Amino acid sequence: MRTGIYKTRHREDLMEYFETTGANHFTVNDVCEYFKSRGSAIGTATVYRQLEKMVDEGIVNKYIIDANSPACFEYIGEHTHHDVCFHCKCEKCGKLIHLHCEELKAIGSHLKQEHDFVLDPKRTVFYGICSECAARGAV
């Protein structure tokens, strides 16, 4: 952990949540439900406050997918280099799919080189139908 960061019980609990769940993306509600199911409820405001601090520190990414969805967070750790990721959102079930895709990185490079436009992968969301919904005929 970086020096100068005040360790609290809630912060340590969140770090354990990240390591235990291995979830790519999670919402504040996901975190609260996780702790509630284990008998150690943590307040929503506390989770928001801790996650925002971690966003500021660069160990958690925050994604705002659209105005109707809760903010989504991603634990990225305390490394200095992070892979660029993109997102797909299912228009039927709302599932968020986290992508590390070289082809999409190439599109970002193309936009920059050929069109002088820098794509922000944290705010780029592709909308469509996930494979589970497609299999159920929800297309």
Side-chain angles (χ1 to χ4, degrees):
M1 205 168 275
R2 295 177 184 157
T3 57
I5 296 174
Y6 183 67
K7 294 181 185 180
T8 66
R9 180 179 55 83
H10 293 301
R11 181 187 178 90
E12 303 254 338
D13 289 345
L14 281 171
M15 295 299 282
E16 183 179 319
Y17 168 80
F18 301 147
E19 294 170 10
T20 315
T21 63
N24 283 335
H25 292 93
F26 54 89
T27 64
V28 168
N29 189 51
D30 295 334
V31 174
C32 290
E33 286 298 317
Y34 171 84
F35 286 110
K36 183 178 178 182
S37 73
R38 282 157 181 69
S40 62
I42 181 172
T44 302
T46 300
V47 174
Y48 271 115
R49 191 170 41 255
Q50 289 296 324
L51 288 174
E52 290 297 338
K53 286 179 186 177
M54 292 175 175
V55 168
D56 291 343
E57 295 163 11
I59 62 172
V60 171
N61 280 337
K62 179 179 181 179
Y63 302 100
I64 299 178
I65 304 303
D66 58 45
N68 299 318
S69 300
C72 188
F73 296 88
E74 173 192 26
Y75 175 66
I76 54 175
E78 296 176 326
H79 310 290
T80 55
H81 179 272
H82 307 290
D83 253 353
V84 173
C85 66
F86 294 85
H87 301 88
C88 295
K89 183 170 182 177
C90 180
E91 295 176 298
K92 299 295 179 183
C93 70
K95 177 166 67 172
L96 186 67
I97 301 166
H98 184 78
L99 301 174
H100 290 279
C101 179
E102 293 301 318
E103 297 295 327
L104 292 174
K105 288 180 189 178
I107 290 171
S109 295
H110 170 80
L111 287 171
K112 183 175 180 173
Q113 292 171 3
E114 300 298 324
H115 305 284
D116 200 27
F117 183 82
V118 177
L119 186 67
D120 182 357
K122 290 183 184 179
R123 297 186 49 91
T124 303
V125 180
F126 298 97
Y127 291 87
I129 309 297
C130 72
S131 61
E132 290 88 6
C133 288
R136 287 192 303 267
V139 178

mmCIF file of all heavy atoms in Angstrom, residues 30-65:
data_model
loop_
_atom_site.group_PDB
_atom_site.id
_atom_site.type_symbol
_atom_site.label_atom_id
_atom_site.label_comp_id
_atom_site.label_asym_id
_atom_site.label_seq_id
_atom_site.Cartn_x
_atom_site.Cartn_y
_atom_site.Cartn_z
ATOM 1 N N ASP A 30 -23.489 -3.927 -4.955
ATOM 2 C CA ASP A 30 -22.843 -5.243 -4.928
ATOM 3 C C ASP A 30 -21.986 -5.396 -3.677
ATOM 4 O O ASP A 30 -22.010 -6.435 -3.017
ATOM 5 C CB ASP A 30 -21.958 -5.455 -6.162
ATOM 6 C CG ASP A 30 -22.714 -5.501 -7.468
ATOM 7 O OD1 ASP A 30 -23.912 -5.863 -7.457
ATOM 8 O OD2 ASP A 30 -22.102 -5.172 -8.501
ATOM 9 N N VAL A 31 -21.222 -4.362 -3.373
ATOM 10 C CA VAL A 31 -20.336 -4.401 -2.203
ATOM 11 C C VAL A 31 -21.157 -4.508 -0.922
ATOM 12 O O VAL A 31 -20.884 -5.352 -0.062
ATOM 13 C CB VAL A 31 -19.422 -3.153 -2.159
ATOM 14 C CG1 VAL A 31 -18.603 -3.127 -0.874
ATOM 15 C CG2 VAL A 31 -18.513 -3.106 -3.378
ATOM 16 N N CYS A 32 -22.187 -3.672 -0.805
ATOM 17 C CA CYS A 32 -23.022 -3.684 0.410
ATOM 18 C C CYS A 32 -23.707 -5.031 0.585
ATOM 19 O O CYS A 32 -23.761 -5.563 1.702
ATOM 20 C CB CYS A 32 -24.040 -2.550 0.350
ATOM 21 S SG CYS A 32 -23.295 -0.912 0.521
ATOM 22 N N GLU A 33 -24.216 -5.612 -0.507
ATOM 23 C CA GLU A 33 -24.875 -6.920 -0.434
ATOM 24 C C GLU A 33 -23.891 -8.012 -0.027
ATOM 25 O O GLU A 33 -24.232 -8.907 0.746
ATOM 26 C CB GLU A 33 -25.522 -7.277 -1.776
ATOM 27 C CG GLU A 33 -26.787 -6.504 -2.056
ATOM 28 C CD GLU A 33 -27.883 -6.773 -1.041
ATOM 29 O OE1 GLU A 33 -28.099 -7.951 -0.667
ATOM 30 O OE2 GLU A 33 -28.508 -5.787 -0.596
ATOM 31 N N TYR A 34 -22.665 -7.935 -0.537
ATOM 32 C CA TYR A 34 -21.630 -8.904 -0.187
ATOM 33 C C TYR A 34 -21.399 -8.909 1.319
ATOM 34 O O TYR A 34 -21.403 -9.961 1.961
ATOM 35 C CB TYR A 34 -20.340 -8.569 -0.939
ATOM 36 C CG TYR A 34 -19.143 -9.374 -0.504
ATOM 37 C CD1 TYR A 34 -18.905 -10.635 -1.037
ATOM 38 C CD2 TYR A 34 -18.241 -8.875 0.429
ATOM 39 C CE1 TYR A 34 -17.794 -11.383 -0.643
ATOM 40 C CE2 TYR A 34 -17.133 -9.609 0.827
ATOM 41 C CZ TYR A 34 -16.914 -10.864 0.289
ATOM 42 O OH TYR A 34 -15.828 -11.590 0.690
ATOM 43 N N PHE A 35 -21.203 -7.725 1.899
ATOM 44 C CA PHE A 35 -20.933 -7.649 3.333
ATOM 45 C C PHE A 35 -22.170 -8.003 4.157
ATOM 46 O O PHE A 35 -22.055 -8.653 5.194
ATOM 47 C CB PHE A 35 -20.375 -6.280 3.718
ATOM 48 C CG PHE A 35 -18.948 -6.104 3.291
ATOM 49 C CD1 PHE A 35 -18.607 -5.244 2.267
ATOM 50 C CD2 PHE A 35 -17.940 -6.839 3.897
ATOM 51 C CE1 PHE A 35 -17.294 -5.103 1.854
ATOM 52 C CE2 PHE A 35 -16.615 -6.710 3.495
ATOM 53 C CZ PHE A 35 -16.290 -5.837 2.471
ATOM 54 N N LYS A 36 -23.332 -7.603 3.696
ATOM 55 C CA LYS A 36 -24.579 -7.930 4.401
ATOM 56 C C LYS A 36 -24.766 -9.448 4.456
ATOM 57 O O LYS A 36 -25.146 -9.993 5.486
ATOM 58 C CB LYS A 36 -25.759 -7.272 3.694
ATOM 59 C CG LYS A 36 -27.070 -7.479 4.380
ATOM 60 C CD LYS A 36 -28.182 -6.757 3.627
ATOM 61 C CE LYS A 36 -29.525 -6.997 4.270
ATOM 62 N NZ LYS A 36 -30.604 -6.350 3.520
ATOM 63 N N SER A 37 -24.464 -10.139 3.356
ATOM 64 C CA SER A 37 -24.625 -11.597 3.318
ATOM 65 C C SER A 37 -23.644 -12.307 4.245
ATOM 66 O O SER A 37 -23.845 -13.460 4.598
ATOM 67 C CB SER A 37 -24.455 -12.116 1.885
ATOM 68 O OG SER A 37 -23.092 -12.058 1.484
ATOM 69 N N ARG A 38 -22.597 -11.620 4.658
ATOM 70 C CA ARG A 38 -21.613 -12.190 5.565
ATOM 71 C C ARG A 38 -21.781 -11.683 6.993
ATOM 72 O O ARG A 38 -20.916 -11.888 7.836
ATOM 73 C CB ARG A 38 -20.210 -11.904 5.051
ATOM 74 C CG ARG A 38 -19.882 -12.870 3.923
ATOM 75 C CD ARG A 38 -18.817 -12.367 3.002
ATOM 76 N NE ARG A 38 -18.559 -13.323 1.941
ATOM 77 C CZ ARG A 38 -19.398 -13.631 0.956
ATOM 78 N NH1 ARG A 38 -20.572 -13.074 0.891
ATOM 79 N NH2 ARG A 38 -19.069 -14.505 0.024
ATOM 80 N N GLY A 39 -22.877 -10.973 7.225
ATOM 81 C CA GLY A 39 -23.178 -10.524 8.573
ATOM 82 C C GLY A 39 -22.398 -9.318 9.042
ATOM 83 O O GLY A 39 -22.405 -9.002 10.232
ATOM 84 N N SER A 40 -21.701 -8.649 8.162
ATOM 85 C CA SER A 40 -20.965 -7.450 8.567
ATOM 86 C C SER A 40 -21.331 -6.302 7.639
ATOM 87 O O SER A 40 -20.584 -5.927 6.744
ATOM 88 C CB SER A 40 -19.455 -7.704 8.552
ATOM 89 O OG SER A 40 -19.014 -8.012 7.258
ATOM 90 N N ALA A 41 -22.524 -5.772 7.863
ATOM 91 C CA ALA A 41 -23.030 -4.692 7.014
ATOM 92 C C ALA A 41 -22.103 -3.484 7.065
ATOM 93 O O ALA A 41 -21.525 -3.166 8.101
ATOM 94 C CB ALA A 41 -24.435 -4.309 7.443
ATOM 95 N N ILE A 42 -21.982 -2.820 5.927
ATOM 96 C CA ILE A 42 -21.193 -1.601 5.811
ATOM 97 C C ILE A 42 -22.096 -0.584 5.130
ATOM 98 O O ILE A 42 -22.813 -0.926 4.190
ATOM 99 C CB ILE A 42 -19.881 -1.866 5.028
ATOM 100 C CG1 ILE A 42 -19.021 -0.616 4.922
ATOM 101 C CG2 ILE A 42 -20.153 -2.446 3.680
ATOM 102 C CD1 ILE A 42 -17.637 -0.878 4.336
ATOM 103 N N GLY A 43 -22.107 0.627 5.615
ATOM 104 C CA GLY A 43 -23.012 1.646 5.108
ATOM 105 C C GLY A 43 -22.704 2.054 3.678
ATOM 106 O O GLY A 43 -21.544 2.101 3.262
ATOM 107 N N THR A 44 -23.754 2.370 2.954
ATOM 108 C CA THR A 44 -23.617 2.794 1.559
ATOM 109 C C THR A 44 -22.728 4.027 1.448
ATOM 110 O O THR A 44 -21.849 4.088 0.583
ATOM 111 C CB THR A 44 -25.011 3.087 0.963
ATOM 112 O OG1 THR A 44 -25.807 1.909 1.085
ATOM 113 C CG2 THR A 44 -24.924 3.474 -0.496
ATOM 114 N N ALA A 45 -22.942 5.004 2.315
ATOM 115 C CA ALA A 45 -22.128 6.230 2.271
ATOM 116 C C ALA A 45 -20.655 5.925 2.526
ATOM 117 O O ALA A 45 -19.769 6.506 1.885
ATOM 118 C CB ALA A 45 -22.651 7.245 3.285
ATOM 119 N N THR A 46 -20.401 4.996 3.418
ATOM 120 C CA THR A 46 -19.012 4.605 3.718
ATOM 121 C C THR A 46 -18.366 3.954 2.505
ATOM 122 O O THR A 46 -17.215 4.250 2.164
ATOM 123 C CB THR A 46 -18.970 3.647 4.916
ATOM 124 O OG1 THR A 46 -19.534 4.309 6.042
ATOM 125 C CG2 THR A 46 -17.557 3.209 5.231
ATOM 126 N N VAL A 47 -19.105 3.078 1.829
ATOM 127 C CA VAL A 47 -18.568 2.419 0.638
ATOM 128 C C VAL A 47 -18.265 3.460 -0.433
ATOM 129 O O VAL A 47 -17.180 3.459 -1.020
ATOM 130 C CB VAL A 47 -19.535 1.334 0.112
ATOM 131 C CG1 VAL A 47 -19.039 0.768 -1.211
ATOM 132 C CG2 VAL A 47 -19.705 0.225 1.133
ATOM 133 N N TYR A 48 -19.216 4.373 -0.692
ATOM 134 C CA TYR A 48 -18.980 5.440 -1.678
ATOM 135 C C TYR A 48 -17.735 6.241 -1.325
ATOM 136 O O TYR A 48 -16.882 6.494 -2.179
ATOM 137 C CB TYR A 48 -20.171 6.401 -1.744
ATOM 138 C CG TYR A 48 -21.234 6.015 -2.732
ATOM 139 C CD1 TYR A 48 -22.499 5.661 -2.292
ATOM 140 C CD2 TYR A 48 -20.981 6.017 -4.105
ATOM 141 C CE1 TYR A 48 -23.493 5.311 -3.204
ATOM 142 C CE2 TYR A 48 -21.959 5.670 -5.004
ATOM 143 C CZ TYR A 48 -23.219 5.324 -4.554
ATOM 144 O OH TYR A 48 -24.187 4.981 -5.448
ATOM 145 N N ARG A 49 -17.641 6.649 -0.068
ATOM 146 C CA ARG A 49 -16.508 7.479 0.373
ATOM 147 C C ARG A 49 -15.179 6.750 0.172
ATOM 148 O O ARG A 49 -14.224 7.308 -0.374
ATOM 149 C CB ARG A 49 -16.715 7.864 1.846
ATOM 150 C CG ARG A 49 -15.797 8.910 2.358
ATOM 151 C CD ARG A 49 -16.184 9.442 3.753
ATOM 152 N NE ARG A 49 -16.637 8.418 4.695
ATOM 153 C CZ ARG A 49 -17.905 8.227 5.060
ATOM 154 N NH1 ARG A 49 -18.869 8.974 4.563
ATOM 155 N NH2 ARG A 49 -18.232 7.279 5.931
ATOM 156 N N GLN A 50 -15.118 5.482 0.581
ATOM 157 C CA GLN A 50 -13.879 4.710 0.433
ATOM 158 C C GLN A 50 -13.532 4.496 -1.047
ATOM 159 O O GLN A 50 -12.370 4.614 -1.437
ATOM 160 C CB GLN A 50 -14.000 3.370 1.152
ATOM 161 C CG GLN A 50 -14.008 3.465 2.654
ATOM 162 C CD GLN A 50 -12.710 4.015 3.219
ATOM 163 O OE1 GLN A 50 -11.627 3.742 2.711
ATOM 164 N NE2 GLN A 50 -12.809 4.802 4.271
ATOM 165 N N LEU A 51 -14.551 4.167 -1.858
ATOM 166 C CA LEU A 51 -14.282 3.939 -3.282
ATOM 167 C C LEU A 51 -13.814 5.216 -3.970
ATOM 168 O O LEU A 51 -12.901 5.181 -4.806
ATOM 169 C CB LEU A 51 -15.519 3.368 -3.980
ATOM 170 C CG LEU A 51 -15.842 1.921 -3.634
ATOM 171 C CD1 LEU A 51 -17.169 1.504 -4.271
ATOM 172 C CD2 LEU A 51 -14.733 0.974 -4.064
ATOM 173 N N GLU A 52 -14.416 6.349 -3.631
ATOM 174 C CA GLU A 52 -13.986 7.623 -4.235
ATOM 175 C C GLU A 52 -12.536 7.939 -3.866
ATOM 176 O O GLU A 52 -11.773 8.431 -4.696
ATOM 177 C CB GLU A 52 -14.916 8.766 -3.834
ATOM 178 C CG GLU A 52 -16.300 8.685 -4.448
ATOM 179 C CD GLU A 52 -16.327 8.781 -5.971
ATOM 180 O OE1 GLU A 52 -15.383 9.311 -6.585
ATOM 181 O OE2 GLU A 52 -17.318 8.298 -6.556
ATOM 182 N N LYS A 53 -12.150 7.644 -2.622
ATOM 183 C CA LYS A 53 -10.749 7.837 -2.218
ATOM 184 C C LYS A 53 -9.837 6.939 -3.047
ATOM 185 O O LYS A 53 -8.766 7.351 -3.496
ATOM 186 C CB LYS A 53 -10.562 7.524 -0.726
ATOM 187 C CG LYS A 53 -11.110 8.569 0.198
ATOM 188 C CD LYS A 53 -10.890 8.156 1.645
ATOM 189 C CE LYS A 53 -11.557 9.105 2.607
ATOM 190 N NZ LYS A 53 -11.400 8.669 4.009
ATOM 191 N N MET A 54 -10.273 5.698 -3.252
ATOM 192 C CA MET A 54 -9.468 4.752 -4.026
ATOM 193 C C MET A 54 -9.399 5.153 -5.499
ATOM 194 O O MET A 54 -8.375 4.926 -6.153
ATOM 195 C CB MET A 54 -10.019 3.339 -3.862
ATOM 196 C CG MET A 54 -9.844 2.783 -2.471
ATOM 197 S SD MET A 54 -10.637 1.172 -2.308
ATOM 198 C CE MET A 54 -10.142 0.705 -0.673
ATOM 199 N N VAL A 55 -10.457 5.773 -6.014
ATOM 200 C CA VAL A 55 -10.425 6.303 -7.380
ATOM 201 C C VAL A 55 -9.369 7.405 -7.449
ATOM 202 O O VAL A 55 -8.534 7.432 -8.359
ATOM 203 C CB VAL A 55 -11.819 6.837 -7.812
ATOM 204 C CG1 VAL A 55 -11.720 7.652 -9.097
ATOM 205 C CG2 VAL A 55 -12.798 5.685 -7.986
ATOM 206 N N ASP A 56 -9.391 8.313 -6.478
ATOM 207 C CA ASP A 56 -8.407 9.402 -6.429
ATOM 208 C C ASP A 56 -6.984 8.876 -6.341
ATOM 209 O O ASP A 56 -6.052 9.474 -6.889
ATOM 210 C CB ASP A 56 -8.679 10.329 -5.237
ATOM 211 C CG ASP A 56 -9.953 11.143 -5.402
ATOM 212 O OD1 ASP A 56 -10.464 11.246 -6.542
ATOM 213 O OD2 ASP A 56 -10.446 11.659 -4.383
ATOM 214 N N GLU A 57 -6.800 7.749 -5.647
ATOM 215 C CA GLU A 57 -5.472 7.150 -5.484
ATOM 216 C C GLU A 57 -5.050 6.342 -6.704
ATOM 217 O O GLU A 57 -3.901 5.916 -6.811
ATOM 218 C CB GLU A 57 -5.465 6.234 -4.253
ATOM 219 C CG GLU A 57 -5.671 6.984 -2.960
ATOM 220 C CD GLU A 57 -6.078 6.059 -1.821
ATOM 221 O OE1 GLU A 57 -5.997 4.816 -1.976
ATOM 222 O OE2 GLU A 57 -6.490 6.586 -0.770
ATOM 223 N N GLY A 58 -5.998 6.071 -7.614
ATOM 224 C CA GLY A 58 -5.665 5.337 -8.831
ATOM 225 C C GLY A 58 -5.682 3.830 -8.691
ATOM 226 O O GLY A 58 -5.154 3.133 -9.556
ATOM 227 N N ILE A 59 -6.302 3.310 -7.641
ATOM 228 C CA ILE A 59 -6.345 1.849 -7.503
ATOM 229 C C ILE A 59 -7.709 1.274 -7.858
ATOM 230 O O ILE A 59 -7.884 0.065 -7.928
ATOM 231 C CB ILE A 59 -5.911 1.379 -6.094
ATOM 232 C CG1 ILE A 59 -6.821 1.908 -5.008
ATOM 233 C CG2 ILE A 59 -4.466 1.764 -5.833
ATOM 234 C CD1 ILE A 59 -6.527 1.313 -3.640
ATOM 235 N N VAL A 60 -8.683 2.167 -8.088
ATOM 236 C CA VAL A 60 -10.021 1.770 -8.533
ATOM 237 C C VAL A 60 -10.417 2.709 -9.666
ATOM 238 O O VAL A 60 -10.175 3.914 -9.587
ATOM 239 C CB VAL A 60 -11.047 1.873 -7.369
ATOM 240 C CG1 VAL A 60 -12.464 1.680 -7.863
ATOM 241 C CG2 VAL A 60 -10.728 0.857 -6.283
ATOM 242 N N ASN A 61 -10.987 2.152 -10.715
ATOM 243 C CA ASN A 61 -11.557 2.966 -11.792
ATOM 244 C C ASN A 61 -13.052 3.092 -11.562
ATOM 245 O O ASN A 61 -13.692 2.159 -11.082
ATOM 246 C CB ASN A 61 -11.331 2.325 -13.165
ATOM 247 C CG ASN A 61 -9.942 2.574 -13.693
ATOM 248 O OD1 ASN A 61 -9.270 3.515 -13.298
ATOM 249 N ND2 ASN A 61 -9.512 1.720 -14.595
ATOM 250 N N LYS A 62 -13.587 4.239 -11.944
ATOM 251 C CA LYS A 62 -15.026 4.474 -11.838
ATOM 252 C C LYS A 62 -15.559 4.710 -13.239
ATOM 253 O O LYS A 62 -15.003 5.500 -14.003
ATOM 254 C CB LYS A 62 -15.299 5.696 -10.961
ATOM 255 C CG LYS A 62 -16.776 6.029 -10.818
ATOM 256 C CD LYS A 62 -16.943 7.237 -9.904
ATOM 257 C CE LYS A 62 -18.397 7.587 -9.708
ATOM 258 N NZ LYS A 62 -18.537 8.746 -8.789
ATOM 259 N N TYR A 63 -16.645 4.014 -13.571
ATOM 260 C CA TYR A 63 -17.275 4.150 -14.874
ATOM 261 C C TYR A 63 -18.721 4.592 -14.687
ATOM 262 O O TYR A 63 -19.443 4.022 -13.871
ATOM 263 C CB TYR A 63 -17.282 2.815 -15.625
ATOM 264 C CG TYR A 63 -15.907 2.237 -15.822
ATOM 265 C CD1 TYR A 63 -15.444 1.235 -14.986
ATOM 266 C CD2 TYR A 63 -15.079 2.704 -16.826
ATOM 267 C CE1 TYR A 63 -14.171 0.702 -15.155
ATOM 268 C CE2 TYR A 63 -13.812 2.178 -17.009
ATOM 269 C CZ TYR A 63 -13.368 1.178 -16.168
ATOM 270 O OH TYR A 63 -12.109 0.658 -16.344
ATOM 271 N N ILE A 64 -19.111 5.590 -15.426
ATOM 272 C CA ILE A 64 -20.512 5.988 -15.462
ATOM 273 C C ILE A 64 -20.994 5.623 -16.855
ATOM 274 O O ILE A 64 -20.634 6.260 -17.846
ATOM 275 C CB ILE A 64 -20.677 7.480 -15.149
ATOM 276 C CG1 ILE A 64 -20.140 7.736 -13.732
ATOM 277 C CG2 ILE A 64 -22.134 7.898 -15.317
ATOM 278 C CD1 ILE A 64 -20.170 9.148 -13.276
ATOM 279 N N ILE A 65 -21.763 4.548 -16.918
ATOM 280 C CA ILE A 65 -22.169 3.981 -18.195
ATOM 281 C C ILE A 65 -23.265 4.802 -18.841
ATOM 282 O O ILE A 65 -23.206 5.130 -20.012
ATOM 283 C CB ILE A 65 -22.608 2.505 -18.018
ATOM 284 C CG1 ILE A 65 -21.478 1.691 -17.353
ATOM 285 C CG2 ILE A 65 -23.023 1.893 -19.336
ATOM 286 C CD1 ILE A 65 -20.156 1.714 -18.077
#
